[in-house]
Amino acid sequence: MTQATITGEKADLLAGLAKQRHFLRFTTRDLTDDQARQRTTASELCLGGLIKHVTSVEKGWAEFIRRGPAAMPNFAEMTEEDYARRADEFRLLPGETLTGVLADYAEVARETDELVADLPNLDVDHPLPEAPWFEPGGRWSARRVVLHIIAETAQHAGHADIIRESLDGAKSMG
């Protein structure tokens, strides 16, 4: 199925996700790799790292739609090394480039859009993995996963806007 033939709820969800992705990517316009690595607030966040994190989150949730909880890590068994890898997800590391992480994000976005477009419906659901932040015994439909990806992207687009404004005064809106 192509995006041109998507209608209804799927089209609305994918349009909303595309808008949030645009705002997130827009915060990185005209930046160097060094600027994309720079922390400009008290937090550990930088623009390149936010792009990496949102890419990873979207990819993980798309896999959840495909495979259910088997696509997610066992959060109870995460090691210090796992947590260190997760922390690196929020940084643009030496050897990584803004161009590269944006390309990865575009590829994951394309794959997610194709997945959603090809679903027979958005009601397919899976049990959530066990984690302290999920309700015990909870299940999420593909619809709820896409809504979660939209919310996650929007939240981090807001973070990115603050970081960018602190960096050089540029704003996404206004």
Side-chain angles (χ1 to χ4, degrees), residues 71-104:
M72 304 293 233
N74 182 334
F75 297 104
E77 295 179 3
M78 286 182 69
T79 65
E80 290 295 321
E81 189 176 283
D82 295 327
Y83 283 109
R85 252 190 318 276
R86 183 173 164 87
D88 282 347
E89 192 176 275
F90 289 94
R91 297 180 186 99
L92 189 62
L93 300 173
E96 294 177 331
T97 65
L98 180 58
T99 299
V101 297
L102 286 168
D104 291 346

Side-chain angles (χ1 to χ4, degrees), residues 3-23:
Q3 290 242 211
T5 61
I6 301 171
T7 60
E9 183 180 20
K10 287 181 185 181
D12 290 345
L13 289 171
L14 290 175
L17 181 53
K19 183 175 187 174
Q20 297 310 316
R21 287 176 181 144
H22 164 76
F23 282 127

Side-chain angles (χ1 to χ4, degrees), residues 78-137:
M78 286 182 69
T79 65
E80 290 295 321
E81 189 176 283
D82 295 327
Y83 283 109
R85 252 190 318 276
R86 183 173 164 87
D88 282 347
E89 192 176 275
F90 289 94
R91 297 180 186 99
L92 189 62
L93 300 173
E96 294 177 331
T97 65
L98 180 58
T99 299
V101 297
L102 286 168
D104 291 346
Y105 187 38
E107 178 61 18
V108 166
R110 184 192 61 73
E111 290 172 4
T112 300
D113 290 352
E114 286 179 7
L115 171 66
V116 172
D118 291 341
L119 287 173
N121 65 66
L122 295 168
D123 294 326
V124 60
D125 70 340
H126 298 291
L128 291 168
E130 289 187 32
W133 47 86
F134 293 133
E135 61 272 14

Side-chain angles (χ1 to χ4, degrees), residues 6-168:
I6 301 171
T7 60
E9 183 180 20
K10 287 181 185 181
D12 290 345
L13 289 171
L14 290 175
L17 181 53
K19 183 175 187 174
Q20 297 310 316
R21 287 176 181 144
H22 164 76
F23 282 127
L24 178 59
R25 283 190 311 266
F26 190 63
T27 64
T28 67
R29 69 199 177 280
D30 304 323
L31 292 181
T32 66
D33 292 337
D34 286 339
Q35 289 172 311
R37 276 187 188 92
Q38 191 173 340
R39 292 176 41 213
T40 63
T41 66
S43 86
E44 293 288 323
L45 301 176
C46 68
L47 293 169
L50 280 173
I51 299 291
K52 281 176 54 179
H53 171 68
V54 172
T55 301
S56 175
V57 167
E58 184 169 326
K59 184 175 185 172
W61 281 110
E63 280 302 305
F64 176 82
I65 291 172
R66 286 185 188 96
R67 301 181 16 228
M72 304 293 233
N74 182 334
F75 297 104
E77 295 179 3
M78 286 182 69
T79 65
E80 290 295 321
E81 189 176 283
D82 295 327
Y83 283 109
R85 252 190 318 276
R86 183 173 164 87
D88 282 347
E89 192 176 275
F90 289 94
R91 297 180 186 99
L92 189 62
L93 300 173
E96 294 177 331
T97 65
L98 180 58
T99 299
V101 297
L102 286 168
D104 291 346
Y105 187 38
E107 178 61 18
V108 166
R110 184 192 61 73
E111 290 172 4
T112 300
D113 290 352
E114 286 179 7
L115 171 66
V116 172
D118 291 341
L119 287 173
N121 65 66
L122 295 168
D123 294 326
V124 60
D125 70 340
H126 298 291
L128 291 168
E130 289 187 32
W133 47 86
F134 293 133
E135 61 272 14
R139 296 181 72 86
W140 278 15
S141 66
R143 175 184 300 100
R144 185 153 178 198
V145 169
V146 174
L147 289 168
H148 179 74
I149 294 169
I150 293 168
E152 178 90 9
T153 306
Q155 177 182 13
H156 289 309
H159 293 146
D161 197 36
I162 291 167
I163 292 167
R164 179 62 191 260
E165 188 172 356
S166 297
L167 179 68
D168 65 2

